[in-house]
């Protein structure tokens, strides 16, 4: 348990916790939110608490630090203890290939919608993703709006026809998955979480501490709100770090009834980096402003040897890997290189005219089709750095580089996407070159910075402790919104 002297903000949180009211704590990057939650728990060991962590690693660390009156778990851990254990014989084992899933579900014919043809294997994958989206939602019934749009076939009419064809098979899959004695499909963790949510469960505890509340699974959100009649809820997170909305996560702190508090004193980095972070915070529409740790010296300056390089996209990350390898560096990738390997294999197959089984790219029959989609369709813009990389270097060069990746604890530099870097920190960080400046408008004026992009930039720069090289975000200093942010911050300080 922590023995740190609480800051004024942390002491205010402890005092508010003692009143029994629900709390919403906006905790900026590096502000000691876990230590604060420990302080809350230590302040009242007469009540039983439940700490809900974002992932298993955080849960295990918390279990060593919190008092014994607090049960530390993940949302999936709570669900497993209630119902998930009934499905344990259906976990693991060999992954079921798409053709086998199609056979098990009775999918026997491909589906053609206009120019698009979905094989039985493609349809089986879409069915599995549909069930997953349903399980992550708070919805009671599975319906067509859970069917994900497919890359290259996003037009509404195509999607409506696809959804109507997929839902009956998705329902058939869910009917099997929710039965402990089902036998067709392998059960995943989100499946039993959904089963648990549908029981309207009761969580035993006098208070519940939810970490990373800005990226909460809607199914878990539903369960937590059910506990408000008997348990005090404490939601802790940073709305400006909400970067998983694309996979259904929600910021449940926004608009939540309760006492709203902030943690603004960062212990990770010094004042210079806090000033950079605050400019981006204004663009995220967050009222939070960070104060840097005066005893920590953080320089905002270029560096040729960062400990980590953080990129916007997979394509940008792979380009950086290759660049660092060319410099003779031993390189690691946060989370490994399997995602990049699969993309490279897909690129090789498309270039050879064979088509691809890649679940995101199967509708493209040639590399030319994918190039056109990435260059001209807004829905494919995130693939453009990847397509350009393959065009410049070839798929084989990418595969060779993936094979040469090493472990993080034995490398010179770690390359990561922002999503993989979430919750982590390094002594020195450089921002990758794929944080492109927004396209100018029709009059040639700099385009606006989207809120989602500002959040990614904020997360990226706040991973550094002692040195930040803004690198690919260097264009921001001359962007009109940077001047607006500085003006706003000056006005707030007066």
């Amino acid at each position: 348990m922590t023995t740190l002297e609480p800051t004024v903000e942390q002491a205010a949180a402890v005092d508010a916790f003692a009143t029994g009211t629900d709390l919403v704590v906006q905790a900026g990057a590096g502000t000691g939110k876990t230590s604060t939650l420990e302080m809350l728990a230590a302040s009242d060991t007469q009540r039983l608490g439940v700490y809900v962590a974002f992932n298993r690693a955080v849960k295990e660390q918390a279990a060593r630090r919190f008092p014994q009156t607090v049960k530390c778990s993940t949302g999936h851990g709570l669900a497993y203890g209630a119902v998930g254990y009934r499905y344990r014989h259906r976990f693991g084992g060999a992954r079921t290939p798409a053709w086998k899933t199609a056979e098990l579900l009775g999918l026997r014919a491909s589906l053609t919608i206009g120019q698009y043809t979905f094989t039985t294997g493609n349809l089986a994958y879409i069915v599995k993703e549909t069930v997953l989206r349903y399980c992550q939602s708070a919805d009671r019934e599975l319906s067509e709006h859970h069917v994900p749009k497919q890359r290259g076939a996003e037009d509404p009419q195509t999607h409506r026809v696809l959804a109507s064809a997929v839902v009956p098979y998705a329902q058939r899959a869910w009917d099997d998955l929710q039965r402990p004695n089902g036998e067709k499909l392998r059960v995943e963790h989100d499946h039993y979480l959904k089963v648990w949510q549908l029981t309207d469960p009761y969580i035993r505890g006098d208070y519940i501490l939810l970490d990373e509340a800005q990226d909460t699974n809607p199914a878990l959100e539903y369960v937590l709100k059910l506990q408000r009649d008997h348990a005090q809820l404490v939601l802790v997170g940073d709305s400006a770090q909400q970067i998983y909305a694309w996979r259904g996560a929600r910021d449940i702190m926004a608009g939540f009834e309760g006492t709203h508090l902030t943690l603004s004193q960062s212990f990770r980095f010094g004042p210079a980096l806090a000033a950079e972070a605050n400019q981006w915070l204004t663009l995220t529409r967050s009222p939070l402003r960070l104060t840097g740790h005066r005893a920590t010296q953080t320089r905002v300056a270029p560096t040729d040897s960062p400990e980590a390089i953080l990129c916007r996209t997979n394509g940008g990350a792979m380009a950086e890997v290759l660049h660092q390898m060319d410099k003779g560096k031993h390189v690691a990738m946060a989370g490994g290189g399997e995602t990049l390997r699969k993309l490279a294999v897909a690129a090789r197959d498309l270039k050879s005219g064979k088509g691809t089984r890649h679940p995101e790219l199967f509708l493209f029959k040639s590399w030319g089709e994918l190039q056109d989609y990435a260059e001209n369709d807004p829905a494919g813009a995130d693939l453009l750095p990847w397509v350009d990389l393959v065009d410049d270097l070839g798929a084989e060069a990418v595969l060779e580089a993936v094979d040469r990746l090493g472990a993080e604890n034995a490398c010179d530099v770690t390359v990561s996407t922002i999503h993989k870097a979430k919750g982590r920190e390094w002594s020195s960080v450089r921002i990758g070159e794929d944080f492109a400046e927004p396209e100018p408008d029709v009059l040639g004026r700099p385009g606006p910075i989207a809120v989602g992009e500002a959040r990614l930039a904020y997360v990226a720069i706040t991973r550094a402790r002692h040195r930040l090289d803004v690198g690919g975000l260097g264009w921001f200093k001359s962007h009109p919104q940077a001047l607006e942010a500085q003006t706003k911050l000056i006005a707030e300080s007066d």
Side-chain angles (χ1 to χ4, degrees), residues 106-144:
L107 273 163
R108 297 186 176 87
S110 60
L111 173 67
T112 299
I113 309 172
Q115 64 182 2
Y116 307 107
T117 296
F118 300 85
T119 68
T120 55
N122 300 152
L123 292 170
Y125 175 80
I126 297 169
V127 165
K128 291 173 69 174
E129 289 299 298
T130 298
V131 173
L132 180 63
R133 288 182 57 162
Y134 164 64
C135 289
Q136 293 171 342
S137 77
D139 299 333
R140 309 295 293 188
E141 302 293 337
L142 189 152
S143 65
E144 291 185 3

Side-chain angles (χ1 to χ4, degrees), residues 351 454 488 490:
K351 279 177 165 287
K488 183 175 183 178
I490 291 171

Side-chain angles (χ1 to χ4, degrees), residues 233-249:
L233 296 190
V234 179
L235 312 182
V236 183
D238 185 353
S239 292
Q241 294 193 54
Q242 188 205 12
I243 60 174
Y244 283 101
W246 55 275
R247 70 179 190 192

Side-chain angles (χ1 to χ4, degrees), residues 208-492:
I208 299 172
L209 310 173
L210 175 65
D211 206 350
E212 298 287 353
Q214 80 281 349
D215 279 313
T216 301
N217 181 312
L220 179 60
E221 174 190 2
Y222 174 91
V223 171
L224 293 175
K225 286 185 175 179
L226 287 179
Q227 316 310 312
R228 297 188 77 171
D229 62 345
H230 74 274
Q232 179 185 14
L233 296 190
V234 179
L235 312 182
V236 183
D238 185 353
S239 292
Q241 294 193 54
Q242 188 205 12
I243 60 174
Y244 283 101
W246 55 275
R247 70 179 190 192
R250 279 178 24 84
D251 176 12
I252 69 172
M253 298 189 295
F256 193 87
E257 292 184 10
T259 299
H260 285 245
L261 302 168
T262 59
L263 297 178
S264 61
Q265 173 63 65
S266 182
F267 300 97
R268 179 179 297 161
F269 44 75
L273 201 155
E276 293 282 329
N278 286 336
Q279 292 185 60
W280 287 105
L281 279 170
T282 66
L283 273 61
T284 70
R285 302 173 188 164
S286 170
L288 183 67
R289 301 292 180 263
L290 291 174
T291 300
H293 191 228
R294 294 195 175 279
T296 302
Q297 295 298 315
T298 305
R299 293 185 61 197
V300 180
T303 175
D304 290 329
S305 55
E307 188 178 350
I309 301 171
L310 307 184
C311 301
R312 172 70 179 81
T313 63
N314 280 315
M318 193 68 242
E320 196 60 66
V321 165
L322 290 163
H323 178 63
Q324 293 299 314
M325 286 180 173
D326 285 345
K327 292 169 64 176
K329 302 278 189 179
H330 292 94
V331 185
M333 279 202 73
E338 190 57 29
T339 296
L340 294 170
R341 182 188 302 280
K342 289 178 180 178
L343 283 168
V345 170
R348 182 180 63 190
D349 290 345
L350 286 170
K351 279 177 165 287
S352 67
K354 296 191 301 184
T356 177
R357 293 184 179 181
H358 192 287
E360 279 197 77
L361 307 176
F362 65 83
L363 286 177
F364 301 97
K365 304 307 178 188
S366 69
W367 184 248
E369 283 187 17
L370 182 57
Q371 287 174 311
D372 182 67
Y373 174 76
E375 292 172 3
N376 301 311
D377 192 322
D382 63 307
L383 291 173
L384 188 56
W386 174 256
V387 170
D388 287 343
L389 179 71
V390 172
D391 282 338
D392 289 343
L393 300 173
E396 293 299 334
V398 175
L399 287 167
E400 181 184 347
V402 170
D403 288 337
R404 292 169 55 196
L405 289 170
E408 286 193 58
N409 60 3
C411 71
D412 300 315
V413 60
T414 295
V415 177
S416 177
T417 62
I418 303 307
H419 290 90
K420 293 290 186 182
K422 180 77 182 301
R424 300 187 60 179
E425 60 183 59
W426 291 271
S427 178
S428 59
V429 169
R430 178 164 66 78
I431 307 302
E433 297 301 318
D434 60 339
F435 279 84
E437 184 173 2
E439 291 290 331
D441 63 18
V442 293
L443 298 178
R445 298 171 299 193
I449 300 169
V451 171
E453 295 301 309
R455 288 174 179 160
L456 286 169
Y458 166 67
V459 171
I461 68 170
T462 56
R463 300 309 94 196
R465 294 194 303 269
H466 300 116
R467 192 179 187 108
L468 170 69
D469 181 346
V470 295
L473 287 171
W475 53 264
F476 179 60
K477 291 186 181 299
S478 59
H479 194 279
Q481 282 178 270
L483 178 59
E484 293 172 11
Q486 292 166 10
T487 302
K488 183 175 183 178
L489 291 170
I490 291 171
E492 291 173 355

